[in-house]
Amino acid sequence: MKILYHHRTASKDGMDVHIQSMVEAFRRRGHIVRVVGPEAHEASDFGSERSLVSAIRARLPKAIGEGLELAYNLHARRRLAEAIDQFEPDVLYERYNLFLSAGVTLAKARGLPFVVEVNSPLAEEREATGGLALRDKARAMERDVWTKADYVLPVTQVLGDRLIERGVEPERIHVIANGVDLDQFSPGQPDQQVLRQALGLGDNLVLGFTGFVREWHGLDRVLTVLGGTLLAGNIHFLILGDGPAVPGLKALAKTLGIEDRVHFKGLVSREDMPRYASLFDIALQPRVVPYASPLKLFEYLALGKAVLAPRLPNIEEVLTDGQNALLFDDNDVNAFAEGIYRLVTDPVLRTQLGHNARASVVDRDLTWDGNAARIEALLEGEGPSETEGAQPRRLLAS
């Protein structure tokens, strides 16, 4: 199968990990993949969270910035048309982005099957965080892309339900969660004692977090627990990543008198991430967006870590309390601290959860290769229907 993979992601962060991992997984299954994305994507460094468009938009009136995003479709359409003419793909696969219509327009004009991967309801998200000047336009374009796609691939069922509310036919929706490379993220990573000593962790028990550090991640909650009387002083916190919330966290650690127990490693390359994350005894997801499929969770599970996460419907699509993770009630102000305390003081539970964590990824094939296989089955008409009585449509010839 020849897959034309289209995206508008200029930054190299978690979004890029998803893109590259899926492309590589398709190729391992023998498919030929051509990627069309912003030229700035290849030039950016790993860990850069903001694209050029976002940086420009932040300095302009919202309507003008959003107008630039709309104008990008002219450039994208030209490049996609050239790629279709040269590559002659069997399918156009797109990572959804706001104000991006070039993919669906060309796919329909050229008679190509169109598959769109949806990681979040971006119009709603943008409106909630930064505001939208062209709100009606954004929502109309978003709905148009989703409803015209042959298959829509949300990362959680929670998100899938929102797509149905926006008019997407249920039989077009197939949940494809995030994944992980089991070979890359495997227990027993090398140089663990060397890394521990280098980071000043010693033989202390380590709480850990990976990712771009924003205020809504709730890492201040971890520091508050560490600075309280509940935990002994031999508990440390390792943060792998950078972001706008780091200065505030450093100041809070100083105020609480726990600077020597909070370690800010900063950006870690994708190649080194498994070695550093393997230092965690307890892997934390203090907060989560209610429709997201956090990439870090799959990596924590694959590494065989005891995971603490909020008990929310999207999280429970992957985690089961007491089996492959410990879940806490996010509405209970004390539940997070109690969850940390329970895991800290119960090494048997940590070991059991860690063993089951890895096993749950293997048993359910929550991997990039598994995702590629599931999407391949959909395109070849072999996937299960989400609507009772509906028959799967064969988009590609066998």
Side-chain angles (χ1 to χ4, degrees):
M1 188 191 311
K2 296 171 75 173
I3 302 171
L4 183 58
Y5 193 115
H6 182 225
H7 70 90
R8 201 196 68 192
T9 300
S11 57
K12 288 194 175 178
D13 50 13
M15 292 183 288
D16 179 63
V17 171
H18 191 137
I19 292 168
Q20 297 303 321
S21 297
M22 282 305 304
V23 168
E24 292 166 7
F26 281 132
R27 287 172 175 162
R28 282 193 295 271
R29 292 192 60 81
H31 304 297
I32 303 169
V33 185
R34 179 164 176 174
V35 180
V36 174
E39 290 88 340
H41 178 260
E42 291 304 318
S44 60
D45 296 324
F46 179 76
S48 58
E49 193 263 346
R50 291 171 65 86
S51 69
L52 177 60
V53 172
S54 297
I56 293 173
R57 192 179 65 236
R59 291 169 172 79
L60 294 173
K62 287 185 176 65
I64 296 176
E66 292 163 20
L68 290 175
E69 292 181 88
L70 284 167
Y72 178 83
N73 282 291
L74 299 174
H75 179 61
R77 183 164 182 167
R78 177 182 60 79
R79 295 186 68 215
L80 277 174
E82 291 175 355
I84 291 171
D85 291 340
Q86 297 168 6
F87 185 55
E88 298 182 343
D90 297 304
V91 61
L92 176 53
Y93 182 106
E94 183 172 273
R95 181 185 175 96
Y96 165 70
N97 214 318
L98 198 60
F99 294 115
L100 187 60
S101 62
V104 69
T105 301
L106 269 176
K108 296 305 172 184
R110 299 296 187 91
L112 281 172
F114 180 68
V115 179
V116 62
E117 167 198 305
V118 182
N119 291 269
S120 62
L122 288 177
E124 174 189 326
E125 203 171 76
R126 180 87 67 83
E127 189 174 1
T129 56
L132 269 174
L134 307 178
R135 176 186 180 277
D136 292 342
K137 179 69 172 177
R139 285 187 167 267
M141 289 182 68
E142 185 172 71
R143 186 179 186 280
D144 191 60
V145 172
W146 293 348
T147 56
K148 287 182 178 178
D150 293 286
Y151 283 120
V152 185
L153 311 180
V155 290
T156 63
Q157 185 59 56
V158 172
L159 182 54
D161 292 342
R162 294 195 182 196
L163 297 175
I164 293 172
E165 292 173 359
R166 293 290 303 280
V168 181
E169 297 172 355
E171 63 267 24
R172 296 176 186 261
I173 295 175
H174 294 266
V175 176
I176 304 290
N178 262 313
V180 68
D181 183 333
L182 285 173
D183 292 330
Q184 182 184 15
F185 286 85
S186 61
Q189 292 286 323
D191 305 325
Q192 292 294 282
Q193 282 303 120
V194 173
L195 290 178
R196 276 183 168 271
Q197 298 308 315
L199 292 170
L201 299 172
D203 295 324
N204 297 296
L205 191 142
V206 178
L207 312 177
F209 174 89
T210 69
F212 195 76
V213 186
R214 304 174 179 87
E215 288 187 8
W216 66 259
H217 279 128
L219 299 193
D220 58 319
R221 303 172 77 180
V222 186
L223 270 60
T224 300
V225 174
L226 281 179
T229 59
L230 195 62
L231 299 180
N234 61 342
I235 312 300
H236 286 229
F237 183 31
L238 175 59
I239 301 170
L240 305 178
D242 203 352
V246 167
L249 291 172
K250 289 182 176 180
L252 178 59
K254 184 175 182 179
T255 298
L256 294 172
I258 56 173
E259 307 104 300
D260 59 333
R261 296 166 56 200
V262 181
H263 308 266
F264 297 89
K265 171 57 183 170
L267 291 175
V268 175
S269 70
R270 288 302 299 169
E271 293 75 18
D272 288 335
M273 183 62 75
R275 293 194 303 125
Y276 281 94
S278 280
L279 299 172
F280 301 168
D281 295 291
I282 300 168
L284 301 176
Q285 178 79 58
R287 286 204 178 102
V288 67
V289 176
Y291 46 76
S293 175
L295 177 62
K296 61 174 65 64
L297 283 185
F298 296 85
E299 296 173 351
Y300 293 163
L301 294 173
L303 287 169
K305 298 303 172 184
V307 175
L308 180 65
R311 186 185 292 108
L312 295 172
N314 58 321
I315 295 301
E316 290 183 297
E317 292 178 29
V318 177
L319 303 182
T320 301
D321 186 34
Q323 293 187 21
N324 64 347
L326 187 64
L327 304 183
F328 65 91
D329 182 356
D330 197 38
N331 295 316
D332 183 341
V333 294
N334 299 314
F336 179 67
E338 291 169 355
I340 290 180
Y341 181 76
R342 184 179 174 191
L343 289 173
V344 164
T345 57
D346 193 340
V348 174
L349 177 61
R350 291 202 306 271
T351 300
Q352 179 185 2
L353 292 178
H355 173 78
N356 293 342
R358 173 82 178 184
S360 67
V361 175
V362 174
D363 293 345
R364 294 177 59 186
D365 198 9
L366 299 174
T367 65
W368 300 118
D369 287 335
N371 286 350
R374 284 183 274 271
I375 294 167
E376 175 187 300
L378 287 177
L379 293 172
E380 294 178 350
E382 300 170 4
S385 172
E386 297 294 329
T387 302
E388 185 177 355
Q391 296 299 313
R393 295 166 296 146
R394 183 178 296 278
L395 297 185
L396 302 178
S398 300

